[in-house]
Amino acid sequence: MSTETGTAAGREASRIHNIGYRSYDGPRLGRAYARRSLFSQTLRGSFGLGRSAKSKVLPMLLFGVMAMVAAILVAVSMATPDASKLVVKYTSYAIYLQAVIGLFIAAQAPQAVSRDLRFKTVPLYFSRPIERADYVMAKFAATAAALFILTGAPLLILYVGSLLAKFDFADQTKWFGQGLVSVALLSVLFAGLGLVMAALTPRRGFGVAAVIALLTITYGAVSTIQAIAWETGSEGAVQWLGLFSPITLIDGVQTAFLGASSAFPGGEGPGVGTGVVYLFVVLALVAGSYAVLMRRYRRVGL
């Protein structure tokens, strides 16, 4: 074969075929649009919206439980003779139903991040004009927003019910505002901790177990040790033991700053001085959760 023939054959083999792709000439929506889309997708997915019917069952069931209990409490309050306020405080509602909240975040935090890790779609996100900070912020904000909807909606039912029962408007509005501040702080804290646990493994089952262990088992352990300390006369240790569980941290902060009744043994929560320590630990955990997530996604293979 001559050199010219070989060259011609090589050109024939390396021919570029036009298979019909066209360039995109429309607007480039950029990172802000990508963040909003990721936030919206994650928030909707937390309640099963846009997913299969099976995926809607658990989150909608848990939301229904939170709302139904609030409606029942309103009915009981209105039926109580000479009632002038609700039978439960706004700031106490999330503490009483913390098991439902823990189950929700245990189920939905892995849904928010574990699937992307398991199916290796994270590199696809980062191949677009989106940074790791955009991904983490969108997931964090969406999960916190989902928790705030879950915990804030029952408080709204309580508030509307109290107004229909003609309870004092000023008092109810004040207590409702305190309750919203409390569940907002709880939502951010639980979202951060839940996402960290879920992001450590691509296996959803492991993520669910880790979140339950962190939120529920620690609460049971801390409450048990607090009760033992109270019964043995070590009342001073009860407040400091509350630093070792997420839900007792929220209890301590709202007792110190929001006029809430403490669920600690004896009903004695931390004062303002100790409450500052509680608030500092909560904020440190939120900031630490964000930092751990950023580090985690810095190490994800591209």
Side-chain angles (χ1 to χ4, degrees):
M1 180 184 295
S2 66
T3 304
E4 293 183 2
T5 304
T7 303
R11 285 197 295 265
E12 183 70 21
S14 61
R15 178 180 298 172
I16 298 175
H17 296 274
N18 182 2
I19 57 177
Y21 288 117
R22 293 187 298 178
S23 60
Y24 175 72
D25 298 323
R28 302 290 178 175
L29 299 177
R31 290 173 57 188
Y33 181 83
R35 280 196 303 268
R36 290 195 300 271
S37 298
L38 194 55
F39 171 86
S40 174
Q41 178 192 38
T42 305
L43 178 58
R44 285 166 51 83
S46 296
F47 293 98
L49 303 178
R51 294 164 56 194
S52 65
K54 181 181 177 181
S55 301
K56 295 179 175 65
V57 174
L58 181 60
M60 290 302 180
L61 178 62
L62 296 176
F63 182 84
V65 169
M66 295 287 289
M68 182 179 66
V69 173
I72 292 172
L73 291 174
V74 168
V76 170
S77 300
M78 295 175 70
T80 302
D82 302 322
S84 59
K85 60 182 180 180
L86 296 167
V87 296
V88 62
K89 287 188 174 183
Y90 294 96
T91 48
S92 300
Y93 192 83
I95 303 296
Y96 293 151
L97 275 81
Q98 57 89 21
V100 178
I101 300 170
L103 184 57
F104 180 88
I105 187 62
Q108 301 311 316
Q111 173 64 32
V113 294
S114 296
R115 286 166 57 88
D116 291 340
L117 294 171
R118 184 165 70 253
F119 296 116
K120 302 185 185 303
T121 57
V122 175
L124 297 179
Y125 285 114
F126 296 157
S127 67
R128 300 286 94 191
I130 183 174
E131 301 293 338
R132 289 170 176 78
D134 299 322
Y135 182 88
V136 171
M137 284 190 293
K139 293 290 184 177
F140 202 139
T143 306
L147 280 171
F148 184 71
I149 292 172
L150 179 77
T151 55
L155 300 189
L156 181 60
I157 293 173
L158 292 175
Y159 179 64
V160 172
S162 69
L163 297 184
L164 293 175
K166 301 188 185 309
F167 296 159
D168 185 82
F169 174 80
D171 286 342
Q172 294 299 322
T173 302
K174 173 185 175 183
W175 296 334
F176 175 57
Q178 292 173 340
L180 288 181
V181 173
S182 174
V183 297
L185 191 60
L186 180 148
S187 299
V188 175
L189 176 61
F190 275 35
L193 296 176
L195 289 176
V196 166
M197 292 294 101
L200 294 178
T201 173
R203 303 292 295 274
R204 182 175 181 179
F206 292 158
V208 171
V211 176
I212 290 176
L214 179 64
L215 300 182
T216 303
I217 296 179
T218 56
Y219 174 70
V222 168
S223 297
T224 300
I225 298 174
Q226 283 180 319
I228 294 172
W230 177 263
E231 293 296 332
T232 57
S234 303
E235 294 87 353
V238 171
Q239 297 183 10
W240 298 108
L241 288 169
L243 294 170
F244 297 97
S245 165
I247 195 68
T248 53
L249 277 171
I250 299 299
D251 188 312
V253 170
Q254 66 182 20
T255 301
F257 300 108
L258 299 175
S261 297
S262 178
F264 289 1
E268 295 185 9
V272 175
T274 309
V276 172
V277 179
Y278 272 72
L279 182 59
F280 174 80
V281 172
V282 170
L283 296 178
L285 285 174
V286 172
S289 297
Y290 179 81
V292 171
L293 287 171
M294 286 293 294
R295 183 177 179 81
R296 169 66 174 128
Y297 285 99
R298 192 173 294 120
R299 297 174 61 184
V300 171
L302 297 177

